[in-house]
Amino acid sequence: GVLAIDHVGVASADLNDSLAFYRELLGLVETHRESNEDQQVVEVMLAAPGHKSSDRSNETEPATQLQLLAPLSADSTVAKFLDRSGPGMHHLALRVSDIQATSDRLLARGLRLLYPQPRAGTAGSMINFIHPKDAGGVLVELVQPARS
Ligand code: V0V
Ligand code: CO
């Protein structure tokens, strides 16, 4: 099942501008940066500083992050998004324990996944996406993290 909200993806036309806003002005902390050739994006992950587990939540999952996305080429889905919609919220990523099991359940209900098999996501994760038309207008990413 779903373990947590893993990240929120924001499409950026200028990573330096976005980092000036989220990192310098608002104080989020950069945790990871990677180019994903398959997706043709550069992505920067940011987290809130001092995120701590509370006794109440008994939380064991890592914090939800912000994923800034900039296109590596005009072929990138993010380039197309920026052309059509401009910068802004792009996708909602749900962390799952077993992406295959979750995918099978969604496919059995007739929802469309974008890829027949999971593909390479950030930091060794496996990712797939639910078509926004089958998810209330939101591009929903499923992400199964790499084993730590
Ligand atoms: C398009 N649509 C969206 C959308 N992008 N709705 C919500 N959120 C978005 N981000 C709408 C669009 O307005 C259309 O609605 C409808 O979906 C179908 O559009 P389309 O023209 O047929 O399709 P495209 O060419 O706009 O492509 C949309 C999809 C594409 C979702 C198919 O963006 C895609 O393949 N995305 C998956 C890969 C991806 O997003 N990679 C970047 C993140 P109307 O106008 O018909 O009503 S990579 C990442 O997150 C990584 C690596 C990670 O986390 O590890
Ligand atoms: Co993502």
Side-chain angles (χ1 to χ4, degrees):
V2 175
L3 300 172
I5 296 175
D6 189 89
H7 63 266
V8 173
V10 168
S12 169
D14 185 326
L15 272 185
N16 287 328
D17 279 358
S18 298
L19 286 168
F21 181 67
Y22 287 110
R23 197 178 57 189
E24 269 55 78
L25 184 60
L26 288 171
L28 297 189
V29 176
E30 182 174 330
T31 58
H32 186 71
R33 187 184 284 239
E34 179 175 335
S35 287
N36 186 316
E37 300 291 333
D38 183 35
Q39 295 287 340
Q40 286 294 296
V41 294
V42 187
E43 48 125 328
V44 180
M45 289 293 224
L46 301 157
H51 182 89
K52 289 227 175 68
S53 304
S54 74
D55 295 343
R56 203 158 49 89
S57 73
N58 194 24
E59 110 192 62
T60 54
E61 293 291 326
T64 300
Q65 302 205 68
L66 173 62
Q67 181 176 55
L68 298 177
L69 295 159
L72 276 175
S73 73
D75 299 335
S76 170
T77 55
V78 171
K80 188 172 179 187
F81 181 90
L82 288 169
D83 284 346
R84 181 161 50 192
S85 310
M89 299 264 293
H90 181 265
H91 66 271
L92 173 67
L94 303 179
R95 190 182 308 150
V96 297
S97 50
D98 183 342
I99 195 170
Q100 195 60 56
T102 301
S103 298
D104 289 347
R105 184 146 26 91
L106 295 169
L107 290 168
R109 288 290 192 96
L111 279 76
R112 287 165 291 174
L113 299 186
L114 296 185
Y115 310 135
Q117 295 298 330
R119 286 165 70 162
T122 187
S125 62
M126 301 294 286
I127 63 173
N128 206 336
F129 294 85
I130 307 174
H131 194 283
K133 295 293 176 197
D134 293 345
V138 176
L139 177 59
V140 174
E141 176 185 342
L142 305 174
V143 49
Q144 179 181 325
R147 276 171 198 274
S148 49

